[in-house]
Amino acid sequence: MRVDIGNALAATARPGVSADALDRLDDRVAAAHDRIADGMADSEFGYAALNLPETADPAAVEAAVEPLADADTLLTVGIGGSALGAATLVDALGDGLDYHALDNVDPAHVRDLLADLDLADTVVHVVSRSGTTAETLANFLVVRDAMADAGVDWTERTLVTTGVEGNLRDLADDHGLPVLDAPEGVPGRFSALSTVALPAAALAGVDLDELLAGAAAGRDALSGSLYDCPAYAYGAVAYALDVRGASVNAMLPYAEGLETFAEWFAQLWAESLGKDGLGQTPARALGATDQHSQLQLYRAGPRDKLVTMVRPESRPDCAIPETDLDGLDYLAGGDLGGLLDAEFEATEASLAESGVPSVRVELPAVDAHSLGRLLFDIEAACVLAGELYGVETFTQPAVEWGKDAARGLLRGEADLPEKDVLVVE
């Protein structure tokens, strides 16, 4: 994986990072790397996520899903990091699997989705690290009843990933469901390379060994200098631009299969770094689609954005047919991949011309090895940024407050703080 930070430097961008500032920042990166390396060596909470390329067990995952491998449809029941990693892997690499995720409790969506699925040919993977996540367990209970109503033995079509204790573990034990242990010390948003997401990837035909080999290449590339480590270069520059005013990070992949990756990035970046009045707000976009909906704002709006542009270096061929339509001669004999690359380079140049900082991230291809490397490097970049901000990267107290309040309301035990009400009808 290559990261080009040239268009984020002060010579091009406003805000931008000067060469001297980058050199000073590199000293802080070295200290942060030492802290990260110590955390990894001791498998400390959160830092253990960066050990997954070695500690994940693809053979155990493949053995768990093997009895279910004949299914044409997979339904992941989870929320946040319990669903986004799986969706990212399947959307980018899955081949032939009809994949769905129940990651919200909108009753209209849940009812419509279950009505559309052939439940007799559906595998359910229910994921909750704590085993107590209200949205996940509520959806699972609805799915279980729908399968029973359809005459399907849900116990033969359900796989569980959870912690060593909790409501979900108890339910799995009571019904003899196959269970994979959620990884110790790995927050959900950092779990894409673990038993949380790998079962979906395995059922979708993804080469887990290659995926983890790509992640291992990222781990091997970690070093004490941002000039030698793509992950740290990205994390350090994103942090430096934020403190200079680029408080929004627009993730813009130029590959349809990576659209869900942008959603995964948004959770990782927001939940990890949004602490103590700090953190960069992630935005999600897709090239070239959102050149026609968001680029106007990025280029001509407030000077508060970093645009992260991601593309594969190789793509499948799809020739553009010859045409006799006037004005389209420049397309004749071309390829859709070439057109998309031209859109990428034109957008990058447009941002640079207007002084908007951007970072280019290039992968060899959208394949298992490259995606493993991308996911690992973005996680490592996030951990580094957290060290530079000085925040608790691996906690999410604001999220937990909301969860506790929702449970209290449902039980009739909670009184929420007073709020002003202004209704306009």
Side-chain angles (χ1 to χ4, degrees):
M1 191 177 89
R2 290 203 298 266
V3 172
D4 183 350
I5 61 174
N7 283 341
L9 301 182
T12 299
R14 304 180 302 280
V17 186
S18 71
D20 288 344
L22 208 59
D23 288 340
R24 293 193 300 271
L25 184 60
D26 198 41
D27 292 334
R28 295 181 61 194
V29 169
H33 171 67
D34 289 342
R35 173 68 188 97
I36 293 168
D38 287 345
M40 293 169 64
D42 294 337
S43 294
E44 292 181 38
F45 181 78
Y47 300 97
L50 300 182
N51 292 330
L52 283 172
E54 282 69 45
T55 59
D57 185 355
V61 172
E62 289 166 349
V65 303
E66 195 277 331
L68 307 169
D70 61 337
D72 292 327
T73 302
L74 171 63
L75 178 62
T76 295
V77 181
I79 195 167
S82 294
L84 278 171
T88 297
L89 296 176
V90 175
D91 288 350
L93 304 173
D95 182 19
L97 182 70
D98 184 19
Y99 177 78
H100 303 273
L102 275 183
D103 58 355
N104 205 344
V105 287
D106 180 337
H109 171 67
V110 173
R111 287 168 59 102
D112 290 347
L113 176 60
L114 294 178
D116 287 342
L117 295 181
D118 179 359
L119 295 175
D121 197 36
T122 297
V123 168
V124 177
H125 182 207
V126 56
V127 185
S128 171
R129 173 180 309 280
S130 67
T132 61
T133 307
E135 299 93 338
T136 298
L137 293 182
N139 273 337
F140 179 53
L141 293 174
V142 172
V143 171
R144 186 178 72 172
D145 275 8
M147 296 183 88
D149 290 345
V152 177
D153 185 346
W154 63 272
T155 65
E156 295 183 354
R157 312 297 293 171
T158 301
L159 171 68
V160 171
T161 295
T162 192
V164 295
E165 59 184 22
N167 294 337
L168 189 55
R169 173 68 68 166
D170 293 342
L171 184 145
D173 290 344
D174 289 345
H175 293 278
L177 305 179
V179 183
L180 288 166
D181 293 335
E184 290 289 332
V186 179
R189 59 190 177 276
F190 285 89
S191 64
L193 298 170
S194 78
T195 51
V196 170
L198 293 183
L203 287 167
V206 177
D207 187 329
L208 301 190
D209 290 326
E210 273 298 295
L211 185 74
L212 293 170
R219 187 180 192 275
D220 292 344
L222 296 180
S223 72
S225 173
L226 67 88
Y227 296 111
D228 299 325
C229 175
Y232 287 171
Y234 181 69
V237 166
Y239 160 79
L241 287 170
D242 181 21
V243 299
R244 287 163 173 77
S247 59
V248 175
N249 189 337
M251 178 58 68
L252 181 61
Y254 276 71
E256 198 85 17
L258 295 179
E259 184 174 13
T260 310
F261 159 76
E263 296 186 36
W264 172 86
F265 168 82
Q267 185 198 4
L268 180 78
W269 215 248
E271 198 168 29
S272 300
L273 304 178
K275 319 279 171 63
D276 303 329
L278 301 170
Q280 199 175 40
T281 300
R284 294 169 285 180
L286 178 67
T289 300
D290 287 313
Q291 291 172 205
H292 298 269
S293 64
Q294 298 180 35
L295 182 59
Q296 177 66 36
L297 174 68
Y298 298 164
R299 192 176 190 273
R303 295 285 172 163
D304 61 353
K305 296 171 189 66
L306 159 66
V307 181
T308 303
M309 304 181 65
V310 182
R311 75 165 172 183
E313 294 178 297
S314 67
R315 307 178 186 272
D317 294 332
C318 188
I320 301 172
E322 298 285 346
T323 179
D324 56 1
L325 295 174
D326 291 341
L328 295 181
D329 56 300
Y330 68 95
L331 295 175
D335 186 271
L336 289 182
L339 175 58
L340 192 56
D341 283 337
E343 299 276 10
F344 177 100
E345 291 165 14
T347 299
E348 185 180 57
S350 173
L351 293 168
E353 193 277 334
S354 60
V356 176
S358 68
V359 172
R360 175 191 288 214
V361 177
E362 290 186 308
L363 316 173
V366 180
D367 58 22
H369 193 280
S370 297
L371 186 62
R373 176 68 186 268
L374 176 65
L375 294 175
F376 181 90
D377 275 21
I378 294 299
E379 289 184 1
C382 183
V383 175
L384 175 78
E387 299 293 334
L388 297 175
Y389 281 113
V391 299
E392 295 289 339
T393 306
F394 306 113
T395 63
Q396 52 282 334
V399 175
E400 297 304 325
W401 191 99
K403 287 181 180 179
D404 291 342
R407 290 192 195 100
L409 286 172
L410 290 169
R411 291 172 178 151
E413 300 169 354
D415 290 322
L416 297 186
E418 292 293 333
K419 64 182 180 69
D420 294 330
V421 176
L422 176 61
V423 176
V424 180
E425 294 183 348

